[in-house]
Amino acid sequence: MDNQDNQQRSRRKVKDIFSPHELKPGVFFETPETSQMPEENEEGISVEMEEKLVAISRIETVSGSQEEKEEKEEKEEKEEKEEMREEERQESGETIVIKPPTRKKIKNLKPFLLFGIPIVLVALYYIGFVASARADIEIITQKTEIPFSKSIVVDSNVSSIDTRKAVIPGNLFVFNSTETEEFKSTGQGKDETKAKGVITIYNNYSTSPQILVATTRFETPYHKIFRLDSRVVVPGATTENGKLVPSTIDVKVTADKPGPDYNIGPCQLPDCKFTIPGFQGMPEFEGFYGVSKQPMTGGSLGEVPMVSAEDIKNAEGAILDKIMDSINQDVENKVPKELIILPGAKSGVKISKIESDAKIGDYTDKFTVSAEIEIKVIAFNKNHMINFIQSILGEDKDENYDFCGEPQIEYSDLEADFERGSLKMTIKTNQTLCHQIDLDAIENALLGKDKEELDEILRNIPGVQEAKVKLWPFWIRKVPNSQEKINLSVK
């Protein structure tokens, strides 16, 4: 009974795996001749099962080979059809569209997983821990300050520092500048100008000369009075054939009153002549007279521009300011940048010349002012001053310390002698000294050290007051083994 049950289970197992139409008759299926199963023991059942399994494997091999063959034939058939279509399209002139090949799926990732991932990890380690590793180390040294105060002389007549005499070299600069500028008059004055001209005096009275004093009056028929500008001697007349021939002389005259009314035209015989009112009622009145060939001009009345005292004052101030600006520009451009000019090292303004082409009260709308000034400057090199200070302090300095930092110097009690070119002063400062540090030795000692080792090394270096260490990237824990990757600075 047990054998029959086992046989039934074996048959059901085979039937569960294969479809009935896939199996050959008589191999797994019972034929009429083999419908009756003989009774066998357990060993017989086992042999039968082995035979059936061998048959299954054979069927699988035959079935797999058949499928591969069919797939190959189907693929070749598709390629032939595709070639025929391409030939037909080429003959008909149809555009051929070539499709890009489809990507094949990676069938086996095991080589990549075995070799690619370790390589990537090694590269990341190199970048993160070797190539990009850096250490920034800042060391603050021990410092001390020494006060310094002393009187010193800057002398333009010496060329080197003399610590015993407390003298350093200086430079004397002399700047000269001349400026000329035109200004407008702002004052107002009354224009009361008298007309002027020339008349010719006739002596038709006698052969004797006649003296006429300055301001002698000459009057026109229209009662306009003109006066002689200066004393004159009218020569005597001559005689020819018993007849008197008059003599003449030209003289300058000025109108008696200002104004344009005296700007008269020429006055000539027979219609016009100048008479002398002083001879009125005397025989000389008809014998002495004058005429003018040119008009009298220049007479005027009214307000005109006038140079005032305020105009002259403002003009002089403006021209001096302009010259000062010019000199200050010269000082900035011509004095070397490394030289220092203290506020008390400039002389006062020496005015060599200041003049104007107009005076106060002149009637003119413009006038010109010229000026020339001189300024002296004493300058010195700051490095000379620092070298002087450090030379004196260096005599008692600790050999383990060096001068560091530029001292801030205070200057006071300045006394300048611009004729001699010297400047006396008092200087005060605090000079900083820093403990000496061997950077190369420190770099070599820190290579490859972790933070605990760094702290211990830096703590025991003489002269180190404080140290700051920064490792990058943040995940590294040691200083790189290359000095090129260490940035060491000292403050």
Side-chain angles (χ1 to χ4, degrees):
M1 191 67 179
D2 292 337
N3 291 336
Q4 290 180 356
D5 290 340
N6 288 333
Q7 289 176 359
Q8 290 295 328
R9 281 195 299 269
S10 298
R11 292 190 189 100
R12 282 195 300 270
K13 179 178 181 181
V14 172
K15 288 180 181 180
D16 287 342
I17 295 174
F18 296 96
S19 300
H21 67 276
E22 296 177 354
L23 304 178
K24 293 181 180 181
V27 178
F28 292 97
F29 286 82
E30 295 178 356
T31 59
E33 292 82 8
T34 60
S35 60
Q36 299 295 328
M37 291 250 342
E39 293 185 2
E40 296 180 1
N41 56 15
E42 291 181 1
E43 293 179 358
I45 292 173
S46 177
V47 170
E48 183 181 355
M49 290 295 293
E50 288 178 0
E51 290 177 353
K52 290 182 179 181
L53 290 174
V54 170
I56 290 172
S57 65
R58 288 176 180 173
I59 291 173
E60 285 179 349
T61 302
V62 172
S63 176
S65 300
Q66 184 66 26
E67 289 178 357
E68 290 178 359
K69 183 177 181 181
E70 291 176 356
E71 287 178 359
K72 184 175 182 181
E73 292 176 355
E74 184 178 354
K75 183 176 180 180
E76 291 176 352
E77 184 178 354
K78 286 182 179 180
E79 289 177 354
E80 291 177 358
K81 290 181 179 180
E82 186 64 28
E83 289 178 358
M84 292 177 64
R85 291 194 192 98
E86 289 180 2
E87 291 177 356
E88 291 175 358
R89 283 195 292 267
Q90 290 177 358
E91 292 175 358
S92 61
E94 185 178 351
T95 303
I96 302 173
V97 179
I98 301 175
K99 296 182 179 180
T102 57
R103 294 183 179 179
K104 295 182 179 181
K105 295 182 181 180
I106 299 175
K107 295 182 178 181
N108 193 355
L109 294 177
K110 185 177 292 185
F112 173 75
L113 296 177
L114 291 176
F115 300 103
I117 291 179
I119 293 173
V120 171
L121 292 176
V122 170
L124 291 176
Y125 176 84
Y126 178 80
I127 294 173
F129 288 88
V130 180
S132 62
R134 188 179 74 246
D136 295 328
I137 304 173
E138 180 182 278
I139 295 177
I140 301 175
T141 61
Q142 294 176 354
K143 298 178 179 63
T144 184
E145 286 189 349
I146 302 176
F148 182 87
S149 177
K150 194 173 183 63
S151 293
I152 189 172
V153 175
V154 176
D155 195 339
S156 62
N157 301 298
V158 302
S159 58
S160 60
I161 299 172
D162 190 335
T163 55
R164 185 177 60 84
K165 294 181 180 180
V167 176
I168 66 171
N171 299 84
L172 176 64
F173 297 92
V174 180
F175 296 94
N176 293 285
S177 181
T178 301
E179 292 287 344
T180 300
E181 189 172 352
E182 187 178 72
F183 299 90
K184 288 185 176 181
S185 302
T186 61
Q188 292 290 327
K190 291 183 178 181
D191 183 14
E192 296 180 348
T193 307
K194 296 177 180 181
K196 294 180 178 293
V198 177
I199 65 173
T200 302
I201 300 176
Y202 283 80
N203 179 357
N204 196 22
Y205 176 69
S206 71
T207 57
S208 299
Q210 177 66 49
I211 298 175
L212 297 177
V213 297
T215 70
T216 297
R217 292 175 296 165
F218 285 80
E219 185 177 14
T220 69
Y222 310 105
H223 309 293
K224 299 297 182 186
I225 302 295
F226 289 84
R227 294 177 180 270
L228 284 176
D229 289 350
S230 60
R231 176 180 178 273
V232 67
V233 178
V234 183
T238 61
T239 58
E240 291 183 3
N241 300 323
K243 292 183 179 181
L244 193 66
V245 178
S247 62
T248 62
I249 186 171
D250 291 337
V251 296
K252 293 181 178 180
V253 295
T254 300
D256 186 51
K257 294 180 180 180
D261 292 343
Y262 287 82
N263 296 331
I264 62 175
C267 179
Q268 300 189 55
L269 295 173
D271 299 326
C272 180
K273 69 176 182 180
F274 291 89
T275 59
I276 301 175
F279 289 155
Q280 185 77 33
M282 300 172 63
E284 289 88 347
F285 184 76
E286 293 295 333
F288 290 93
Y289 57 87
V291 297
S292 62
K293 300 176 182 178
Q294 300 295 331
M296 302 294 176
T297 59
S300 63
L301 286 174
E303 290 188 349
V304 294
M306 182 186 72
V307 179
S308 66
E310 193 71 16
D311 290 337
I312 296 294
K313 179 182 177 181
N314 292 339
E316 290 177 350
I319 198 72
L320 291 177
D321 288 343
K322 186 176 182 180
I323 295 178
M324 285 301 302
D325 290 341
S326 176
I327 287 182
N328 288 334
Q329 192 70 28
D330 285 343
V331 171
E332 183 177 348
N333 294 333
K334 295 180 180 179
V335 175
K337 301 299 182 183
E338 66 270 14
L339 300 185
I340 295 177
I341 301 174
L342 298 176
K346 284 185 180 181
S347 70
V349 177
K350 180 182 177 182
I351 302 175
S352 305
K353 178 188 74 173
I354 185 165
E355 57 186 17
S356 172
D357 63 353
K359 301 184 298 295
I360 297 173
D362 284 355
Y363 294 108
T364 178
D365 60 342
K366 295 179 181 178
F367 64 99
T368 301
V369 175
S370 300
E372 180 180 352
I373 67 173
E374 177 185 278
I375 289 181
K376 295 182 179 180
V377 175
I378 299 175
F380 62 91
N381 193 317
K382 188 176 183 180
N383 290 331
H384 290 162
M385 189 68 72
I386 295 175
N387 291 339
F388 171 80
I389 295 171
Q390 294 181 352
S391 295
I392 295 177
L393 294 178
E395 297 174 358
D396 301 322
K397 179 179 68 68
D398 188 330
E399 62 180 8
N400 292 319
Y401 283 83
D402 292 327
F403 296 111
C404 59
E406 186 176 288
Q408 300 300 315
I409 305 173
E410 296 180 8
Y411 304 94
S412 60
D413 305 327
L414 271 69
E415 297 179 11
D417 185 346
F418 294 102
E419 295 301 322
R420 189 177 179 277
S422 63
L423 179 65
K424 185 179 180 181
M425 69 185 79
T426 300
I427 58 173
K428 291 182 180 180
T429 187
N430 288 320
Q431 175 64 62
T432 303
L433 282 78
C434 298
H435 201 286
Q436 296 173 354
I437 296 292
D438 188 346
L439 295 181
D440 292 335
I442 293 176
E443 282 190 352
N444 291 327
L446 299 182
L447 293 176
K449 301 298 188 294
D450 58 25
K451 288 190 175 182
E452 293 182 358
E453 293 172 320
L454 288 174
D455 293 341
E456 182 66 24
I457 293 172
L458 293 173
R459 192 182 304 114
N460 294 320
I461 296 177
V464 175
Q465 179 178 340
E466 182 182 353
K468 299 177 182 179
V469 179
K470 182 179 179 181
L471 302 179
W472 193 91
F474 65 88
W475 55 76
I476 68 172
R477 292 293 179 265
K478 291 184 178 182
V479 175
N481 287 314
S482 173
Q483 287 186 348
E484 296 179 353
K485 297 181 179 297
I486 299 177
N487 181 23
L488 184 60
S489 60
V490 177
K491 288 188 177 181

